[in-house]
Structures are given as C-alpha cells and as structure tokens.
Amino acid sequence: MAKETKIRNMEEFASASGLSRPTVSKYFNDPHSVRASTRERIEKALQEYDYRPNIYAVNQNRKLTKNIGVVVPYLADPFFAELARNVEQRCIDAGFRPTLYSAHGDPALEVEILESLRLLKPAGVLMAPLGRGSDRRAVEKFCADVPTVLFDSDIPDLGLGFIGSDNAQFARLIVDYLSRTGEPPCFFEMKKPVNPNANKRRQGYIAAVEALGLTPNVVSVDGEGWSFEQIGREGGAKALAEGAFSTRSVLCSNDRLAIGFLAACYEADLSVGMKDSDAIRVSGMDDHPFSRFTCPPLTTIAQDYDSISRYAVEALFHVIEGADTKRSRALFEGRLIMRQSA
Amino acid sequence: MAKETKIRNMEEFASASGLSRPTVSKYFNDPHSVRASTRERIEKALQEYDYRPNIYAVNQNRKLTKNIGVVVPYLADPFFAELARNVEQRCIDAGFRPTLYSAHGDPALEVEILESLRLLKPAGVLMAPLGRGSDRRAVEKFCADVPTVLFDSDIPDLGLGFIGSDNAQFARLIVDYLSRTGEPPCFFEMKKPVNPNANKRRQGYIAAVEALGLTPNVVSVDGEGWSFEQIGREGGAKALAEGAFSTRSVLCSNDRLAIGFLAACYEADLSVGMKDSDAIRVSGMDDHPFSRFTCPPLTTIAQDYDSISRYAVEALFHVIEGADTKRSRALFEGRLIMRQSA
DNA sequence: TGAAAAACTTATCGCGCGTAAATTTTTGAT
DNA sequence: ATCAAAAATTTACGCGCGATAAGTTTTTCA
C-alpha cells in the first residue's frame, strides 16, 4: 500500500496530505484536536505513506515526553515481571511509552537507572524500590525532579504516592486460617529482609497470634541479597535441625522463601501437608507464579496484582495531569489461596 | 558540589569550561579524541556542573544512536530475565544504552515492539524471537532496516546471526547419562512447542536413543502458549494415567515442563528420584533458576548463559562496526547438572 | 629552532519538530 | 443573510546539538 515516494519528515507528509505542518503536528499530539474532516485526510494519508514522527525531534521540543519509566528491583523474580507487565500495558493503553528497568538487586544500579531515566525526561516514573538497599538520598533527589509513584515497597515520605499491599492483613488472614485448621504457625523470615514489607508481615504475624491469645514464635535466619530460595533452604535446614519451630506449622515471610523451605523439608524427609500423617504445614505469601507448582502446592496469600498496578498507574496519571498535590497512599488486601501445603 | 548556575546546554557548559562547543561535542562523542589536558578541563567542569548532553538533540543529529534493543519472548520466565540481564550488562559495558522489551508470549505485541523499536533508530537489536508464533514477514522487514542478531531461538536465514544452544548435544548428553545409570528415558514434550529448540531436542533425543540401539518413546501432550508448568502438570497427569511412558525415566523437553511434570508425579503419589525405591526419574533441560529448588532438585542440562550472551553481543558489535557481512552462527554446548531427580 | 602536524576556535548550516502569535475559516445565534 | 466568537490553520521562530569549512593556536619532533 505504501507509495514509492518516501516521506522524510512532517513537512513532506503535511503537503502530501494537503495540509500545513503545524496542523499535522496538532493531530499527532491529539487526533481530536483537529476537525473531523481534517482528521480523515490525515488518516487517509497515513494509509498510503507509513510516516511516523521522529520521536527525538518530538521529545526535544515537547516540555513533557510521553515516556514512563518503570523500575523494579529484581526482574528475575517472576512476581515483578508480572507486575511490570500489568503496569506497562496500562501505560500503553493510556498512550504512553513505558520503559522497563531492573536494578537486579544492586543499589548502585538502581541509582544509575534513575540517572539515565532523568535524561529521558519522562512524564512520570513508577518505581518499586529495592527497599532497604535503596539510596534514599538519590531517590529523594530524583523524585524532586520527576513525578514518581512508588509501588510494592514503600520509602516513607518519598515520591508522590505509594501503592502496595496491606501486609498486616495478609498476616492476619493466614494466621487465622492456620490457627483455625491446626496448630498456629511459627514465622520464618530473613534476619535482614531486603524491604519493609517483611517487617510489616512479621509485626502483623505477631499481632495476629497475640490477638488469639497465643505466643508468637519468629525464626529469623541469616543470609542477604535476593536469593530467597537459597536462603530459605539453607536457613530452613538449619532451623529444622535445631528444632527452632515450636509448632508443626510454618508461615514463611514470602513464597520464594517458602519454596526454599519446602526444599529443606524435602531434604529433611519431612512430609509437608495438612493431613494428620504429614510432619509439617508450610505456607507463604505473594502467590508467586510458581507456588502452585511446588510439591505440595503452596498455600499462600495472593497479592492483588490488578488493583495495585491499576491504582499505581492511576495515581501517577493524576499527578501528571496536575490534579493532586498530597501524597496518595493505598494498600490492598490479599486473598487466601488454599492449596495442599497447609 | 554542583554550582548555582544551571547549565542549560552544551554552549553554556563549553564556556564554563573555557572551551568551544565543537570541542566539547567531540569529547562527548569520544573522550579520547581530544587532548589529555582538554579532557581534564572538561572532566573538572563536569564535577562542578552536572551537565549531560540532551539525548534527544544528540540522537536527532547522529546518524546512529547508541541504543540497543533487547527483545525477549516471555519475561515472566526467569530464564529470559537472566539472559537479558547478561546481555544488557555487556551492552552497558560497551558504552551502549540497552532497552528491554518482552513480547509476553504475544505475536502481535512482538510486532508492535519491533515497530516502536524502529522509531528509536537503534544501533542494533538483540532478539530472542517467540519462535513459531513470530511473524516472519514482520521480523524480516525489520531486520532489513536494523542490524539484528537473533539468540536463543532461531528463525532460519533471518537477521545477521544466530547464537544459541546445541540442542542435539543437550539431548545426547542427558540420554547417555540416563541410559548409563538406569533405564533409557522417554521424551516428554508439548505437541505444539512454541519454538524450534523443542523440535531439535526431540530429534536429538531420538538420534541419541537409536545410537544406543534402543527404541525412542516420545510422549507429546496438548496445550499451547507459554504456561509450560501448567501444561506439564496436566499433560503429565494424563500421560501417567494412561501409562504412556514405556520406561521409568522421563526426559522433559525443558525445565518448566519438568517442574509441571514433577507436580503431576506428586499428585499421582509417585516418588521421584534415582533410588531403587523411587517410582520414576525425571529430568529437564535449561537449568532453570528454580530447578535446583524443586522436590527433588531437578537433574538437567545447563545452558551456557555466559557464552551465549557474550557471543550474541559480540556478533552484533561486529556487524555494527561493519566488519562482517555473512550471517554468523554459533551453538554452545550444555553441561550436565546432576541432581536428585534422575 | 622551525616547519609540519595536530588540536582548537569561529562561523554557519541543518536536523525535525513544538508552539506562540497572526490569520483564515467555520460556527451559531440573531 | 449577518456578524461576532470560536475553531482551525498558517506564519515565523526557536530548541540543542552534529557536522563541516576555514582560520588560528598549540604541540611535536627532527
């Protein structure tokens, strides 16, 4: 369908469609800002010639680009990959160009990403920070220049909003379930968790157990970084060997830790499940994409991916459109996913 | 450290450092193209003022940008996340700006990515195609305009090179091992695999088994898309129920399928492992990041991430520098990872 | 010490587009 | 049909930088 004559710029395309360049420019900024008859002429010309505006020239002159930066802490975790996919799609639907970055667990890389993101002059940024490892000062400086909404992991008072999960509710939900159907759970976590969610979950666990008039039992294991499964397996093996768990029910701080802990149970020849003959019950939190395929399938709390991504994007767009000024904040409840592990 | 006076453009930065703009421009294109003393003056000025060239203005005028597109088929698979991380880091080290895109298993999205990538005028693109689902015509058209190197999954004769794994060798390696240590394996796969690697693996399996004077047994199950674990579990349960496997050893076409198959074995109450008391041995291919945490840990073939990413990037840079013309092609051998599942 | 080579400066153009201000066309109520 | 207001369009200018030519200064090295 495309004609021989190559269109080199908007000028040529404008004359090819019998209009002036600024009119065509207006069209590309907002197709509905030109008269219907004009719009039809342009779109007819677009069929014949496959012209697209040069994004570099466009972005050089526009005060605000249509770029959205999406930053996640660790893309090798499918949880973040899924979250990022959700968020990206919503940005595209809203007519923006999302670009995905992963800090790969490295604080220095996170700072580099912000620096290179600044050069892109994005309309806004959706950032799931590393958490404890994040360079607060660097993030703060970035947020001062670029409209940024945090998600998944909060850095208090930073950015224009935070959207995440109600970790205390997560803990209540599963503690109640586990206590109702058997022994109350012990809590299994990393001693130095990478992000604040882990702390909120521990506090939620303790509060929920105490609310039932029981005594909490928190088992914290060594290990740093983002190799949660590894840490869960090694720490789990050690804790099991030491008899650290006061009950036969273990609530892991997150699913990846639980996956590692399941491996430790397997190695220790402990059958996992909710039957009387089973040695231990194991549960996690997050509804990690792989948790339904563990042996046994993992009982967990599902994060509300959909609401989190939707609200995060909406919050950002509110800010971009200059609607709000006060920092928004929303926490979403989780849903109990009952599987065979507990 | 940064001074009060904000630098707005290269002109101002040049005079602030006591040089002319063209000289500063030369520096940013290649720091070693200016005299050492000049370089020092610029770098000293860079310490005081945090000026960076406007990338939109730069890319508008440069014939070739420093952008590299990285396209993977399914980012929720940690295997691709890891591969992408490798590739990205190498691009950064070479002074380029990689941007990561995932087709999320969707052929239409893959085409969209290529179209939006074309607007970025990248110096080159590293692409792991969807495979069977890829729009050959669209990819071909893209490759004609942008230097592209394929990796992981080949589309014959497309792009300027392909870097991947020697799937036949993968199959030989593990068939020999499994046959040597017990019954020869059956081959478990999807009837309609998403990419050509699966076919190469099946062929390699058949050839390897026949070379041992044995009879191959291929079990192909229904299911489309990228939910391999799901397909492995459902197809595996069905195949096990039907007694489709002629031996007590199963080689899965890839680790994700194997993870699903392990779940099916668990549900069927079949103990997996290499002990005499175990009912079945299961193995996979890829050394998926999670395969060491399955129950039992999965015996598999490790892809040579490092070599694949290194060669893919190198091949692309050769092309960018205008060195080669002929399509390069390299296949890397896998390494047997012996774990407890087989 | 001096000439060639290298590096730098000045001057100018062009890239492809956004955008304010000026002008034209269209709309809608009389 | 008329005319002012609203909408659409055109004119004119600027964005920040790459690239190049011609002239000037600095460095290199015999």
Side-chain angles (χ1 to χ4, degrees):
Chain A
M1 190 64 91
K3 288 200 178 172
E4 312 294 310
T5 42
K6 300 276 162 114
I7 302 289
R8 320 188 110 263
N9 53 40
M10 197 181 279
E11 189 74 55
E12 291 186 15
F13 177 75
S15 65
S17 53
L19 294 164
S20 72
R21 189 178 61 73
T23 300
V24 174
S25 173
K26 270 197 80 178
Y27 167 84
F28 280 111
N29 281 333
D30 176 10
H32 286 277
S33 66
V34 300
R35 203 160 34 212
S37 60
T38 308
R39 189 162 57 243
E40 280 168 20
R41 289 168 71 183
I42 293 176
E43 278 161 4
K44 193 182 141 206
L46 275 177
Q47 302 284 329
E48 297 185 41
Y49 316 90
D50 61 341
Y51 165 77
R52 294 298 182 90
N54 179 310
I55 58 171
Y56 296 114
V58 170
N59 286 333
Q60 177 175 19
N61 297 310
R62 225 202 291 271
K63 30 199 124 180
L64 220 56
T65 71
K66 282 284 189 178
N67 296 329
I68 299 280
V70 179
V71 186
V72 298
Y74 193 77
L75 204 44
D77 183 340
F79 167 73
F80 287 111
E82 271 303 310
L83 212 46
R85 185 178 68 83
N86 251 280
V87 161
E88 279 188 297
Q89 189 55 55
R90 293 182 194 283
C91 290
I92 291 173
D93 293 343
F96 287 82
R97 288 177 48 94
T99 308
L100 177 60
Y101 298 86
S102 165
H104 301 306
D106 178 5
L109 185 52
E110 190 176 59
V111 173
E112 278 180 35
I113 288 169
L114 295 185
E115 280 175 4
S116 93
L117 213 40
R118 192 194 300 268
L119 300 181
L120 285 181
K121 298 180 182 174
V125 168
L126 288 159
M127 179 178 188
L130 280 170
R132 200 169 54 85
S134 290
D135 182 339
R136 199 187 201 282
R137 203 176 304 273
V139 177
E140 191 165 12
K141 209 175 151 204
F142 180 80
C143 291
D145 298 342
V146 182
T148 303
V149 168
L150 303 181
F151 67 102
D152 181 67
S153 173
D154 198 10
I155 305 182
D157 303 323
L158 246 52
L160 299 165
F162 169 70
I163 315 294
S165 285
D166 183 348
N167 290 294
Q169 183 263 347
F170 276 36
R172 270 200 310 278
L173 197 56
I174 196 150
V175 165
D176 286 351
Y177 165 74
L178 292 172
S179 303
R180 204 170 57 236
T181 56
E183 294 182 42
C186 304
F187 191 76
F188 181 71
E189 64 163 8
M190 289 166 65
K191 197 172 292 172
K192 290 189 178 178
V194 292
N195 72 30
N197 293 338
N199 296 326
K200 301 239 171 65
R201 289 175 179 185
R202 186 196 330 103
Q203 290 162 11
Y205 158 81
I206 293 172
V209 170
E210 287 178 343
L212 295 173
L214 302 169
T215 308
N217 174 216
V218 174
V219 178
S220 303
V221 298
D222 288 330
E224 292 207 51
W226 288 77
S227 303
F228 299 169
E229 295 87 0
Q230 183 77 22
I231 292 166
R233 181 169 62 185
E234 290 179 3
K238 202 170 158 200
L240 287 169
E242 292 170 350
F245 300 107
S246 58
T247 69
R248 294 190 312 159
S249 178
V250 175
L251 169 57
C252 300
S253 179
N254 63 65
D255 277 4
R256 293 181 58 200
L257 216 49
I259 289 170
F261 188 76
L262 285 176
C265 291
Y266 180 87
E267 284 168 14
D269 210 23
L270 295 173
S271 77
V272 175
M274 49 206 307
K275 298 191 301 292
D276 284 340
S277 58
D278 289 319
I280 194 169
R281 291 189 300 163
V282 177
S283 55
M285 301 193 209
D286 288 340
D287 195 23
H288 190 282
F290 281 24
S291 61
R292 69 185 62 193
F293 302 106
T294 56
C295 299
L298 189 64
T299 289
T300 185
I301 305 286
Q303 294 224 26
D304 192 348
Y305 284 72
D306 203 68
S307 296
I308 290 175
S309 63
R310 188 154 43 82
Y311 266 73
V313 171
E314 278 178 10
L316 181 61
F317 288 170
H318 272 209
V319 174
I320 290 176
E321 288 159 8
D324 293 327
T325 56
K326 69 174 193 301
R327 191 174 194 263
S328 62
R329 188 179 163 83
L331 299 183
F332 290 94
E333 297 197 342
R335 195 163 41 86
L336 179 64
I337 305 291
M338 282 175 285
R339 301 206 183 94
Q340 298 165 45
S341 75
Chain B
M1 190 65 92
K3 287 201 179 173
E4 312 295 310
T5 42
K6 299 276 161 108
I7 302 290
R8 322 188 110 260
N9 53 38
M10 196 180 280
E11 189 74 55
E12 290 186 16
F13 177 74
S15 66
S17 54
L19 293 165
S20 69
R21 188 176 64 79
T23 300
V24 173
S25 174
K26 272 193 79 179
Y27 168 85
F28 279 111
N29 281 332
D30 176 10
H32 286 279
S33 65
V34 301
R35 205 158 35 210
S37 59
T38 308
R39 190 161 57 243
E40 280 169 19
R41 288 169 70 182
I42 293 176
E43 278 161 4
K44 192 183 140 205
L46 276 175
Q47 302 284 328
E48 296 186 42
Y49 315 88
D50 59 343
Y51 166 78
R52 294 298 182 88
N54 179 312
I55 60 170
Y56 296 113
V58 169
N59 285 333
Q60 177 175 21
N61 296 310
R62 226 202 288 272
K63 30 201 124 180
L64 219 57
T65 72
K66 282 285 190 176
N67 296 329
I68 299 281
V70 179
V71 186
V72 299
Y74 194 79
L75 205 44
D77 183 341
F79 166 75
F80 286 112
E82 271 302 310
L83 212 47
R85 185 177 68 85
N86 251 280
V87 161
E88 279 189 295
Q89 190 55 55
R90 292 182 195 282
C91 291
I92 292 172
D93 293 344
F96 286 82
R97 287 178 50 95
T99 308
L100 177 60
Y101 298 86
S102 166
H104 300 306
D106 179 5
L109 185 53
E110 189 176 58
V111 173
E112 277 180 36
I113 288 168
L114 294 184
E115 280 175 4
S116 93
L117 214 39
R118 193 195 298 269
L119 299 180
L120 284 180
K121 298 182 183 173
V125 168
L126 288 159
M127 178 179 189
L130 281 170
R132 198 168 56 85
S134 290
D135 182 339
R136 198 187 200 283
R137 205 176 303 273
V139 178
E140 190 166 13
K141 208 174 153 207
F142 180 79
C143 291
D145 297 342
V146 182
T148 304
V149 168
L150 304 181
F151 67 101
D152 181 67
S153 174
D154 199 9
I155 305 182
D157 304 323
L158 245 53
L160 299 166
F162 169 70
I163 314 294
S165 283
D166 184 348
N167 290 294
Q169 182 263 348
F170 276 36
R172 271 201 310 278
L173 197 55
I174 196 149
V175 165
D176 286 352
Y177 164 75
L178 292 171
S179 303
R180 204 170 58 237
T181 56
E183 293 182 42
C186 305
F187 191 76
F188 181 71
E189 64 163 10
M190 290 166 65
K191 200 172 289 171
K192 290 188 177 177
V194 292
N195 71 30
N197 293 337
N199 296 326
K200 301 238 171 66
R201 289 175 179 184
R202 185 193 333 99
Q203 291 161 12
Y205 158 79
I206 293 172
V209 170
E210 287 178 344
L212 295 172
L214 303 168
T215 308
N217 174 214
V218 174
V219 177
S220 303
V221 298
D222 288 329
E224 292 207 51
W226 288 76
S227 302
F228 300 169
E229 295 87 0
Q230 183 77 24
I231 293 166
R233 181 169 63 185
E234 290 179 4
K238 201 171 160 201
L240 285 169
E242 292 170 352
F245 300 106
S246 58
T247 69
R248 295 191 312 159
S249 177
V250 175
L251 169 58
C252 299
S253 180
N254 63 65
D255 276 5
R256 292 182 57 201
L257 216 49
I259 289 170
F261 188 76
L262 285 177
C265 291
Y266 180 87
E267 284 167 15
D269 210 24
L270 294 174
S271 77
V272 176
M274 49 207 308
K275 299 190 300 291
D276 285 340
S277 57
D278 290 320
I280 194 168
R281 291 190 300 163
V282 176
S283 55
M285 301 194 209
D286 287 340
D287 195 22
H288 191 282
F290 280 25
S291 61
R292 69 185 63 195
F293 301 106
T294 56
C295 299
L298 189 64
T299 289
T300 186
I301 306 286
Q303 294 225 28
D304 191 347
Y305 283 73
D306 203 68
S307 295
I308 291 175
S309 63
R310 188 154 44 83
Y311 267 73
V313 172
E314 278 178 11
L316 181 60
F317 287 170
H318 273 208
V319 175
I320 289 176
E321 288 159 8
D324 293 327
T325 56
K326 69 174 195 302
R327 190 174 194 265
S328 62
R329 189 180 163 82
L331 301 182
F332 291 93
E333 297 197 342
R335 196 162 40 86
L336 180 64
I337 305 291
M338 282 176 285
R339 300 205 183 95
Q340 296 166 45
S341 76

